Amino acid sequence: MREQQENILSKFKEFWDKYIRDLEKEEVVDLFPDSFTNTFPFHGRFSFFVDLSNNRVFNMCGFEETLGYKEETWNVDHLLFSDFIHPDHLIHFYSIIRSTLEFDFSKYKHNPVSIHFKLMVKSKSGEYLKFFVSSGPTLVAKSNGAFAGGYYECTLVHGMADSFNFGWDITGDPELVQSFKESMKKRMSVLLTKRELEVLQYLKEGLSSKMIADKLGIAKNTVDNFRSSLLKKSSAGNTAQLISVAQKNGWI
């Protein structure tokens, strides 16, 4: 699994570097000038904007109150490629980012799109905290409407009694919502092996590890290993959450 994850992350970095090089040649326009402002800072919420063409994080609000970071200088690469985001959420988060970069957002200017997801990020103390994130595009390339920047508003939910699997959703124009969901399913489908997909389908049908082992002609311990791998890849804490994430990602 680790080798597979490293391969996916490496391919994302290659994609990202090329995307940024291409974006640097573009003229960037603001979809909603003066329409977005930061929320009032308080403990439990932070927000920021990103400008990809300049590798810039700006209008940072609530970072000190919520995460303990004081007078830090940040850029987009630090957000994506440091240990700021929990390792278990990286592949899912990168899938969100890549799907976001594949759309022409300029035609949705009058019907703003909002992407929502759960994410664990690292505080100044080194502890990973749980957040609900709402985000949306604000800057696009003039020639093709490609995502060039946006806002992120993060609300603390640390202490909730769940495993905090990586969940996501999108609201806005129905056509874009459907396209985005299809893109996410495509991105997430490469995470699972053929055997894991078989085990997952049987889990959906309510079969136990022993019953699945009998169906596939393998040892029960092997099925248990597949189940552990599926939980890890989905960031789920139990089988019910796994099935929910699997349906959202189009695995079953």
Side-chain angles (χ1 to χ4, degrees):
M1 177 180 171
R2 181 179 295 277
E3 182 179 349
Q4 182 190 30
Q5 287 181 323
E6 290 177 351
N7 183 49
I8 292 172
L9 299 183
S10 176
K11 287 183 177 179
F12 174 81
K13 186 63 166 63
E14 291 177 8
F15 165 82
W16 176 263
D17 289 343
K18 182 181 184 304
Y19 186 90
I20 295 302
R21 287 196 303 270
D22 292 343
L23 186 60
E24 289 172 348
K25 305 171 187 176
E26 296 278 350
E27 179 182 352
V28 172
V29 296
D30 193 336
L31 286 178
F32 313 103
D34 304 319
S35 296
F36 285 88
T37 58
N38 292 85
T39 56
F40 185 79
F42 65 90
H43 183 74
R45 178 179 294 174
F46 70 97
S47 61
F48 58 94
F49 288 73
V50 298
D51 175 358
L52 302 190
S53 61
N54 293 296
N55 194 18
R56 184 168 68 112
V57 179
F58 63 103
N59 282 8
M60 298 169 66
C61 184
F63 272 71
E64 181 178 358
E65 293 86 350
T66 304
L67 297 174
Y69 295 106
K70 185 177 182 179
E71 298 180 1
E72 303 272 349
T73 300
W74 292 55
N75 59 37
V76 179
D77 282 351
H78 177 78
L79 288 176
L80 291 178
F81 303 115
S82 70
D83 60 352
F84 181 65
I85 297 170
H86 194 285
D88 287 350
H89 285 182
L90 272 180
I91 290 179
H92 304 73
F93 181 66
Y94 288 169
S95 297
I96 286 276
I97 296 298
R98 186 155 184 174
S99 294
T100 300
L101 301 180
E102 293 177 333
F103 290 100
D104 175 359
F105 285 101
S106 61
K107 60 184 177 181
Y108 301 105
K109 180 176 181 178
H110 301 296
N111 189 1
V113 174
S114 185
I115 301 168
H116 316 279
F117 51 94
K118 297 189 290 186
L119 194 67
M120 294 181 70
V121 302
K122 194 175 186 179
S123 67
K124 183 71 173 180
S125 68
E127 180 183 9
Y128 281 98
L129 306 178
K130 304 173 183 178
F131 289 88
F132 282 120
V133 183
S134 293
S135 66
T138 57
L139 302 174
V140 299
K142 186 175 183 178
S143 68
N144 58 11
F147 181 88
Y151 74 92
Y152 294 82
E153 184 174 283
C154 312
T155 302
L156 183 70
V157 292
H158 190 58
M160 290 183 67
D162 80 16
S163 67
F164 215 71
N165 60 296
F166 188 99
W168 62 272
D169 203 353
I170 178 172
T171 56
D173 182 90
E175 179 184 349
L176 185 141
V177 167
Q178 183 60 35
S179 296
F180 187 91
K181 288 182 176 181
E182 290 301 319
S183 177
M184 277 295 291
K185 288 179 181 180
K186 178 181 177 182
R187 298 292 166 206
M188 299 304 292
S189 65
V190 302
L191 289 179
L192 304 189
T193 66
K194 180 181 177 181
R195 185 64 93 185
E196 286 172 337
L197 287 170
E198 290 175 334
V199 171
L200 184 57
Q201 183 61 44
Y202 284 130
L203 289 173
K204 179 190 175 185
E205 296 171 9
L207 275 64
S208 67
S209 291
K210 178 64 169 63
M211 295 167 70
I212 295 173
D214 292 341
K215 286 274 190 180
L216 297 177
I218 58 179
K220 176 182 176 297
N221 286 345
T222 302
V223 175
D224 288 337
N225 289 337
F226 282 129
R227 294 183 71 156
S228 296
S229 177
L230 286 165
L231 291 172
K232 181 75 172 178
K233 289 180 178 181
S234 64
S235 298
N238 54 52
T239 301
Q241 288 183 359
L242 168 61
I243 299 305
S244 177
V245 172
Q247 291 173 327
K248 169 74 76 173
N249 288 336
W251 292 338
I252 52 177

